[in-house]
Amino acid sequence: MDGRSVIMFEGGEGGALLSSARGVHALAPFSPSIRRCLAAASHLIHAATSERDEEAARQIAREAASLTNMAIAQVEQVVGPLDEERALIYQAEGGGFTCGSVGKPPIPLPWPVPERVSITDLVRSGVVDDGIIELVRKARAEKIDLREIFAQPERMAAKLGVTLSEQSVTHLGVLAPDKLAAIPDETDREVVALFHKVLEDGRYVDTWHTRPYAIAHQLDVTISEAALERVVAGGARGAFLHYGPPGGEVMSVIAAGVIVAGVAIAVGIVGEVAAQHVEDLDKLVIDRSNLAKF
């Protein structure tokens, strides 16, 4: 039945909600066996997203999908048929997931959601390296059009006295204005198009990633729900949870998505520091541990 979804908080121990065209209704807690199957499915789903070995991740994901399908069937035995796309929203300590009722792979739901991905998070997770952060910082301090660091990363790095790795040069090049059409994922292309519009306008570099819908409206940019979700998810966590383990060529969907989110959010975070604490810019230190610290 379209539109019927079960929403479970805290593993469903206190009950659940059934949302349908008739409204939202409270449900008594499901049986312990159903709750444990859902908890096991959630653990497997998150295990698949954190596994760095691709073959192992695929195997875990298959088992997670199988267990999720069985658990959804058990829930439907209690409440009846559920929505094909959004049958269940399951939240528990350490994470949850969403899934439909037709066997599509479940989507991990991180929990608790971080307020904001920090530069340290981005560097530690490998989404961006310290050279990119330093280049963005110096470009902001010198009031240089940030589009230049994507269009000509090597020249701008030399001009600003920043050492960039070959990988960083490639990562920045992915976001060059003239490379937009080469990004394979449609949602990523939307995010990058908004990002470049923000850089061109110049007023919202510091806030676009925190208010993407409002900023897109201000700039007369049409943006899909999927692109908004990707920006709001933000940075390393959002990208890795959407795409799974990092790896592959830079222009692959995985790497392109990670770099889009990571570098764009990094620009926003550095912009916030620049806007709010101009005199403290040099407190953003890149040290030998390769972690950016405020």
Side-chain angles (χ1 to χ4, degrees), residues 87-217:
L88 177 70
I89 302 171
Y90 177 87
Q91 176 268 323
E93 183 179 355
F97 64 94
T98 64
C99 64
S101 62
V102 292
K104 291 184 178 180
I107 300 172
L109 177 66
W111 201 269
V113 178
E115 291 185 6
R116 184 181 72 176
V117 176
S118 70
I119 294 178
T120 301
D121 293 329
L122 296 172
V123 176
R124 180 183 291 118
S125 63
V127 175
V128 294
D129 68 22
D130 52 4
I132 291 178
I133 302 299
E134 183 71 355
L135 183 61
V136 171
R137 181 186 74 84
K138 287 193 172 183
R140 288 307 304 267
E142 297 289 333
K143 302 188 185 311
I144 292 172
D145 187 336
L146 291 177
R147 289 174 293 177
E148 291 295 314
I149 71 174
F150 302 112
Q152 304 179 75
E154 290 179 294
R155 188 179 75 83
M156 294 307 300
K159 178 179 179 180
L160 295 173
V162 176
T163 300
L164 284 182
S165 67
E166 183 177 344
Q167 177 177 332
S168 291
V169 171
T170 306
H171 286 174
L172 289 169
V174 170
L175 292 179
D178 61 352
K179 298 290 180 60
L180 180 63
I183 296 176
D185 183 80
E186 182 179 355
T187 303
D188 284 335
R189 287 197 299 274
E190 281 193 71
V191 174
V192 179
L194 173 60
F195 181 50
H196 283 310
K197 190 70 173 179
V198 167
L199 295 182
E200 179 183 356
D201 178 86
R203 291 176 294 169
Y204 307 114
V205 176
D206 308 331
T207 58
W208 76 277
H209 61 291
T210 61
R211 299 189 299 122
Y213 178 80
I215 300 306
H217 181 74

Side-chain angles (χ1 to χ4, degrees), residues 8-13 35 38-40 42-43 46 89-97 109-113:
M8 300 178 69
F9 301 100
E10 298 180 353
E13 292 186 7
R35 298 203 308 271
L38 290 170
S42 182
H43 286 307
H46 286 275
I89 302 171
Y90 177 87
Q91 176 268 323
E93 183 179 355
F97 64 94
L109 177 66
W111 201 269
V113 178

Side-chain angles (χ1 to χ4, degrees), residues 1-6 18-19 30 72-73 75-76 79-88 99-102:
M1 294 183 182
D2 290 343
R4 298 183 82 244
S5 302
V6 169
L18 176 64
S19 175
F30 289 94
I72 291 298
V75 171
E76 288 186 319
V79 301
L82 295 170
D83 188 85
E84 292 184 354
E85 298 294 332
R86 294 191 175 115
L88 177 70
C99 64
S101 62
V102 292

